[in-house]
Amino acid sequence: QGKFTLLRDTRTDGSFLVHHFLSFYLRAGCKVCFVALLQSFSHYNIVAQKLGVSLTAAKERGQLVFLEGLKSCLDLLFGEEEEEQSEQPSPLQFIRAKSPFSSRESNSDLRALFDFVRTSLTPAGSDSWKGLVLLVDDLGVLLSLGTTPVAVLDFIHYCRVVVCSQLKGNIVVLVHSNEDSEDEENELVVNSLCHHSDLILWVEGLATGFCKDVHGQIKIIRRVSLELTGEQDHVQIYQYKIQDKNVTFFARGLSAAVL
């Protein structure tokens, strides 16, 4: 409890880790606030059903709070009248500050999104969940929507204070990175998050290119140095193959195709 896990991918898609953590925490009886900025609810629900979890049922019983970023963006850009009539401001209302369709000024920070997370995970008197989890997929989308790196890092900082420190919950965040990228803002956010993470799961594509039996490698970095014990971080590297309903991990060079 109280841990911040960073999912990082380079030259490949690490979204299979998001599906793993989502189904894992729901099966474990935790309450999950899922800020889904990359895909629709139906996409996550179809994958979750393959993993034996129903997101629809989890929403109905109050275990899953789902923010569908794609739908919220469209509502903000093209459904102004409906949003104005709503009592609650949209968690992504910062988009209005960047929108050419908006005729009014709006704050470009992520305060409304933070308030949404805090309200979603603050336990009520009758709650009996085994843990609280904030899951974000994918944090870099906020930069693409016009947010500054400072605003994104501030948002994560305040979420860590509330979710990890006060509520003793966990945070899992996915970010895409590319060392050769010219997107300096994204790399600034990625590098900053790496310094503050308790656990980093870094998924990388194979340097040699595509392989049918080995889809990539994952570097597991346990940040022992954060505990100020003088020890170096523990690093483990495995290769993996994604299958229909699970993922197979093995030591480098020891895939079934090689052996």
Side-chain angles (χ1 to χ4, degrees):
Q1 292 182 335
K3 299 297 184 181
F4 180 85
T5 301
L6 179 67
L7 312 179
R8 179 179 181 181
D9 61 22
T10 304
R11 301 189 308 274
T12 190
D13 183 11
S15 59
F16 69 92
L17 291 174
V18 174
H19 298 296
H20 159 73
F21 278 103
L22 178 60
S23 60
F24 170 77
Y25 281 120
L26 289 177
R27 278 198 299 264
C30 299
K31 183 171 185 179
V32 179
C33 176
F34 188 12
V35 179
L37 303 172
L38 204 59
Q39 301 285 354
S40 64
F41 175 79
S42 59
H43 169 82
Y44 294 105
N45 192 34
I46 290 172
V47 178
Q49 286 177 347
K50 288 187 175 182
L51 301 178
V53 176
S54 172
L55 299 191
T56 304
K59 283 181 65 177
E60 291 175 352
R61 62 175 176 263
Q63 185 183 9
L64 174 66
V65 180
F66 190 92
L67 173 61
E68 191 167 359
L70 295 175
K71 183 176 183 299
S72 298
C73 290
L74 288 175
D75 290 342
L76 280 168
L77 292 176
F78 304 109
E80 186 170 355
E81 294 181 0
E82 291 82 352
E83 194 271 339
E84 284 182 347
Q85 296 174 357
S86 176
E87 296 180 0
Q88 296 292 335
S90 170
L92 301 180
Q93 65 178 0
F94 70 90
I95 297 175
R96 286 194 177 278
K98 303 293 182 182
S99 170
F101 302 97
S102 177
S103 59
R104 61 183 181 180
E105 293 295 324
S106 176
N107 292 328
S108 59
D109 59 25
L110 298 174
R111 194 172 308 173
L113 183 58
F114 167 71
D115 289 337
F116 170 80
V117 171
R118 180 176 58 185
T119 303
S120 302
L121 292 180
T122 299
S126 58
D127 285 350
S128 59
W129 307 112
K130 295 182 179 179
L132 300 172
V133 180
L134 168 62
L135 184 60
V136 182
D137 179 28
D138 140 41
L139 197 65
V141 173
L142 295 175
L143 295 173
S144 302
L145 292 174
T147 314
T148 64
V150 173
V152 173
L153 294 175
D154 283 347
F155 166 70
I156 292 296
H157 169 73
Y158 283 107
C159 286
R160 288 185 64 200
V161 170
V162 171
V163 179
C164 295
S165 299
Q166 297 180 4
L167 301 177
K168 302 301 179 185
N170 294 324
I171 297 179
V172 181
V173 172
L174 173 70
V175 291
H176 300 293
S177 70
N178 187 352
E179 284 115 0
D180 302 327
S181 172
E182 296 181 358
D183 190 348
E184 297 179 357
E185 291 187 344
N186 186 74
E187 294 308 302
L188 172 63
V189 170
V190 172
N191 292 331
S192 298
L193 293 177
C194 286
H195 289 297
H196 298 285
S197 303
D198 298 291
L199 174 66
I200 302 173
L201 302 181
W202 189 349
V203 181
E204 298 176 286
L206 295 176
T208 54
F210 175 78
C211 177
K212 183 178 68 173
D213 297 293
V214 182
H215 292 157
Q217 74 173 21
I218 181 170
K219 186 183 297 183
I220 305 171
I221 307 174
R222 301 184 186 277
R223 300 294 312 288
V224 183
S225 57
L226 287 180
E227 302 172 5
L228 303 178
T229 57
E231 298 182 43
Q232 291 185 338
D233 295 338
H234 295 165
V235 180
Q236 296 172 292
I237 300 178
Y238 297 95
Q239 291 180 334
Y240 66 88
K241 179 181 180 180
I242 300 177
Q243 298 168 328
D244 188 38
K245 295 184 179 181
N246 59 6
V247 182
T248 304
F249 295 92
F250 40 84
R252 287 184 290 183
L254 295 181
S255 70
V258 175
L259 299 179

